[in-house]
Amino acid sequence: QVQLVESGGGLVQPGESLRLSCAASGVIGSINAMGWYRQAPGKERELVAGITSGGSSNYADFVKGRFTISRDDFKKTVYLQMNSLKPEDTAVYYCNARARPRIASPYRDYWGEGTLVTVSS
């Protein structure tokens, strides 16, 4: 099974930056894609950004131009560089990985426990 551990969250003022990291470990045959989701109080979990094994990325409209997702296959880590943070970015950010323990196994989604990002003046 895959374990995901997020880090990098914290309290920042509007306009500042944070860099989130998510490291994958465990029995991993391959990872098809990784991404970041977030959930604010009283809101549903929503996609922030995703990146495939081929390097293609996609972003939610509300973060385009401000956030950048990247991955390091050797370290099995995905990053989210967040610039120009706004109060509405405040949420728990969760790492997601679509992976399989063996080539013959089907892909499934794995989730981290989340890291809190608070943007406030």
Side-chain angles (χ1 to χ4, degrees):
Q1 294 81 3
V2 178
Q3 295 183 29
L4 303 175
V5 180
E6 304 102 331
S7 62
L11 173 64
V12 297
Q13 298 184 57
E16 295 184 339
S17 300
L18 280 175
R19 182 173 182 260
L20 305 183
S21 298
C22 173
S25 63
V27 180
I28 306 174
S30 64
I31 299 176
N32 179 254
M34 298 186 76
W36 290 94
Y37 291 71
R38 72 185 187 187
Q39 187 167 21
K43 304 292 184 179
E44 295 184 6
R45 187 173 298 187
E46 61 184 354
L47 173 69
V48 177
I51 186 167
T52 69
S53 59
S56 298
S57 60
N58 64 285
Y59 299 88
D61 288 340
F62 53 81
V63 302
K64 286 182 177 178
R66 299 190 298 124
F67 293 7
T68 302
I69 188 171
S70 61
R71 64 186 292 175
D72 185 331
D73 290 341
F74 294 104
K75 296 183 174 64
K76 294 183 290 186
T77 300
V78 64
Y79 306 93
L80 184 67
Q81 179 66 45
M82 304 185 294
N83 299 326
S84 302
L85 283 163
K86 306 174 181 179
E88 50 263 45
D89 293 320
T90 297
V92 176
Y93 285 70
Y94 297 91
C95 179
N96 167 265
R98 184 161 296 170
R100 57 187 181 185
R102 294 163 293 176
I103 298 298
S105 300
Y107 284 102
R108 58 163 286 183
D109 287 331
Y110 298 86
W111 295 90
E113 293 297 322
T115 184
L116 178 63
V117 172
T118 302
V119 185
S120 177
S121 59

